[in-house]
Amino acid sequence: MKATRLLIVNRGEIAVRIVRAAQELGLTSIVTHSEVDADSLAVTLADEAVCIGPAQAAKSYLNIDAILDAAKRVGAHAVHPGYGFLSESPEFARRVVAAGMVFVGPDAELIERMGNKAQARSTAIAAGVPVVPGSAGAVVDVQDAVVTAAEVGFPLLIKAAAGGGGRGIRSAADEAELRHQLPLAQAEAQAAFGDGAVYLERYIERARHIEVQILGDGKRAVHLFERECSLQRRRQKVFEESPSPALDETARQRLCASAVALAEYVGYVAAGTLEYLYDDDSGEFFFIEMNTRIQVEHPVTEMITGIDLVREMLRVALGEPLSLTQDAITRRGWAVEMRLNAEDPDNGFFPSLGTVERLTWPTGPGIRVDTGLYEGYRMPPYYDSLVAKLIVWDESREAALNRAARALGEFHLTGFTTTAGLHARLVQDPAVRCGDFHTATLEAWLDDPANAATDPSTRPETPAPAPQETRP
Ligand code: ADP
Ligand code: ADP
Ligand code: MG
């Protein structure tokens, strides 16, 4: 690959992940950072770093002018946006290209078409992919919504077309609630995403979230199997795995073929994910949205296929045709990912902040850690709480869960609390062990007092842990 200077416009674990892929490809990695991220691991590992502004994301990681200025200063040839922030902004993609650089992702038109959730629904319908019953596009006003809802049926969800990360979704059990919630949803979407468009979708009860990873070069697309992401809290994924314990080979083939068909229908370029709701009982699946970027949970796919998704997306972006053929993509074993968020699961997931005092990661066979943490790192309070991902592979699902328990036992972090303790309980839970869950399972599980962590203060025989210590 020709000498290329890659600007990485993100932070945290995903910036580290992209630096590593860039270095392995022989690209020069240049990390952008805010003032408070000057001492981040990504900055330390990257070949170069450039400050793009103050801590507040609006002034740095979301500040297109500042980013393009920095890109020019450092002579960047290509820009990788990671996930979140500007990764699904058509304006950013357009302006990166207008400035003469490569955007590592689909072009602005594709992001508009598939990254906008209402438009992606219409595209899926046109491509013959089943979608959740709902409005044809965005609803105009309350009257329009009420008429549409009568056809769609209650309960339903009001979703922001530009929403993401579990935000911008409200539910309505009946017409009265719809009348009340719709204007609030529109105003909220306008304030949060700069776009007030909302659409309606029937609420599917007891569904699983199963998504398909794809890679495309504009001419053809391949799938890299599915990820099961049903264990969620507040519509955000907490624990992911691949393959899904719910699919047999026939169902898997149907789902993955649908994803490839949709990706090829739009001439998709780059790595992307098609998200579906899956009904265990009927075997029906419904497309819900596409993420036109690398996703948080991509490592489970990498673990079972042996394919480096970030490397592939960089290659395609830099003009190489997709080297992978569908036949060459096989899977082996089982992988699970545990998101470690700096939150206290025993205290309502209250944000936990602090400095990493002592840190020991699990090692040994089948273990991967993606993180920006290191001893002495002081976590800035401005950003997402995801601080690490613990990914575990083994030959079978049961072995992977046993290994996950072993890995969590080796993990020690003092300085603040993470969700590791929650995962330690989840990987031993009978429903998780059986693979018997859907998108509402984890919230019900968290509400059940039987699943509360044993409070050390009520167990006098155990010495109380040091303050702020986390030992899963
Ligand atoms: P994934 O879809 O990759 O599993 P998430 O949906 O949790 O991951 O989103 C990844 C990150 O991007 C999170 O930090 C989330 O808050 C953020 N994010 C995703 N979409 C948006 C959006 N439209 N607006 C703001 N933040 C977003
Ligand atoms: P985001 O853009 O925030 O990721 P999604 O549309 O992917 O939003 O939905 C997030 C989660 O909300 C899904 O993973 C699922 O758990 C739940 N969800 C979304 N749509 C529906 C639906 N129609 N019925 C039931 N649950 C849904
Ligand atoms: Mg989603």
Side-chain angles (χ1 to χ4, degrees):
M1 200 159 291
K2 63 177 189 297
T4 296
R5 294 171 64 75
L6 178 72
L7 193 70
I8 298 160
V9 183
N10 217 296
R11 63 178 306 284
E13 66 86 18
I14 194 65
V16 172
R17 172 73 187 85
I18 300 163
V19 167
R20 289 181 170 144
Q23 290 181 339
E24 288 167 10
L25 278 172
L27 311 179
T28 302
S29 56
I30 310 162
V31 160
T32 60
H33 65 87
S34 70
E35 283 163 9
V36 291
D37 279 339
D39 61 352
S40 77
L41 185 60
V43 167
T44 307
L45 294 178
D47 299 311
E48 298 172 28
V50 56
C51 184
I52 50 171
Q56 297 89 331
K59 296 182 178 164
S60 48
Y61 298 106
L62 292 170
N63 184 345
I64 299 181
D65 289 330
I67 293 163
L68 293 179
D69 268 359
K72 202 169 171 187
R73 275 206 308 280
V74 301
H77 302 125
V79 173
H80 196 309
Y83 56 67
F85 295 127
L86 294 169
S87 61
E88 293 187 274
S89 160
E91 188 199 344
F92 184 54
R94 192 172 289 124
R95 289 187 56 192
V96 164
V97 172
M101 294 178 288
V102 169
F103 180 75
V104 185
D107 64 23
E109 289 69 39
L110 262 172
I111 298 177
E112 243 148 26
R113 193 163 174 207
M114 296 309 284
N116 179 295
K117 297 170 73 175
Q119 287 215 37
R121 256 181 75 84
S122 316
T123 309
I125 294 167
V129 172
V131 300
V132 181
S135 55
V139 288
V140 187
D141 52 20
V142 172
Q143 201 41 46
D144 181 23
V146 167
V147 172
T148 307
E151 294 156 24
V152 172
F154 289 98
L156 53 73
L157 296 177
I158 309 167
K159 289 183 160 186
R167 290 154 65 229
I169 302 179
R170 284 169 180 248
S171 59
D174 51 36
E175 189 186 312
E177 216 176 338
L178 177 64
R179 285 181 182 278
H180 174 67
Q181 293 283 358
L182 192 88
L184 299 177
Q186 287 173 318
E188 186 184 65
Q190 184 64 45
F193 313 111
D195 175 2
V198 301
Y199 62 104
L200 306 183
E201 233 176 56
R202 186 189 296 160
Y203 180 75
I204 311 278
E205 263 161 288
R206 304 188 59 83
R208 284 178 185 263
H209 174 119
I210 302 181
E211 59 189 33
V212 180
Q213 175 70 53
I214 58 119
L215 276 172
D217 65 3
K219 296 198 173 64
R220 61 188 189 91
V222 293
H223 72 78
L224 290 90
F225 305 102
E226 80 281 7
R227 292 186 286 261
E228 160 78 61
C229 311
S230 300
L231 291 173
Q232 303 182 352
R233 176 175 171 270
R234 298 196 170 166
R235 303 195 169 100
Q236 276 256 39
K237 298 152 192 167
V238 170
F239 175 102
E240 303 99 337
E241 60 186 296
S242 187
S244 165
L247 298 186
D248 59 22
E249 257 337 289
T250 316
R252 173 169 299 115
Q253 283 313 320
R254 275 198 303 136
L255 188 67
C256 293
S258 129
V260 170
L262 184 47
E264 289 190 338
Y265 180 80
V266 298
Y268 193 74
V269 181
T273 300
L274 295 124
E275 296 191 335
Y276 296 83
L277 292 178
Y278 181 79
D279 183 327
D280 264 346
D281 301 324
S282 66
E284 282 178 292
F285 56 82
F286 309 96
F287 170 80
I288 49 171
E289 69 153 340
M290 176 162 200
N291 291 314
T292 56
R293 54 173 166 86
I294 192 77
Q295 272 188 301
V296 174
E297 59 275 22
H298 75 276
V300 291
T301 300
E302 298 186 322
M303 296 289 263
I304 63 155
T305 61
I307 291 166
D308 185 321
L309 283 163
V310 179
R311 181 186 296 173
E312 290 303 322
M313 89 188 274
L314 283 166
R315 278 185 176 152
V316 170
L318 297 176
E320 290 185 22
L322 198 59
S323 61
L324 293 160
T325 58
Q326 191 65 63
D327 288 350
I329 304 170
T330 55
R331 62 188 170 87
R332 179 160 173 242
W334 214 282
V336 304
E337 173 181 279
M338 293 157 279
R339 292 192 188 199
L340 303 186
N341 291 80
E343 293 170 353
D344 184 357
D346 301 327
N347 184 19
F349 291 84
F350 198 76
S352 179
L353 284 168
T355 299
V356 180
E357 287 159 12
R358 290 189 48 203
L359 179 61
T360 312
W361 289 113
T363 51
I367 308 264
R368 164 174 169 180
V369 177
D370 280 22
T371 186
L373 296 182
Y374 59 85
E375 282 185 3
Y377 175 70
R378 195 159 144 243
M379 203 179 9
Y382 301 93
Y383 312 106
D384 199 84
S385 65
L386 182 76
V387 292
K389 304 181 310 203
L390 177 54
I391 307 113
V392 173
W393 178 92
D394 211 324
E395 281 174 10
S396 67
R397 187 166 189 273
E398 192 190 1
L401 291 172
N402 290 343
R403 183 170 273 173
R406 190 270 290 174
L408 287 162
E410 282 182 34
F411 168 64
H412 297 289
L413 168 71
T414 59
F416 54 84
T417 304
T418 73
T419 48
L422 168 66
H423 288 294
R425 282 174 278 143
L426 275 181
V427 296
Q428 304 289 9
D429 181 77
V432 173
R433 285 269 161 177
C434 299
D436 179 17
F437 46 74
H438 52 84
T439 56
T441 302
L442 179 57
E443 295 222 341
W445 189 96
L446 289 165
D447 286 342
D448 183 348
N451 296 315
T454 316
D455 181 351
S457 63
T458 63
R459 286 174 53 201
E461 71 278 12
T462 331
Q468 293 193 308
E469 184 166 24
T470 307
R471 279 177 193 276

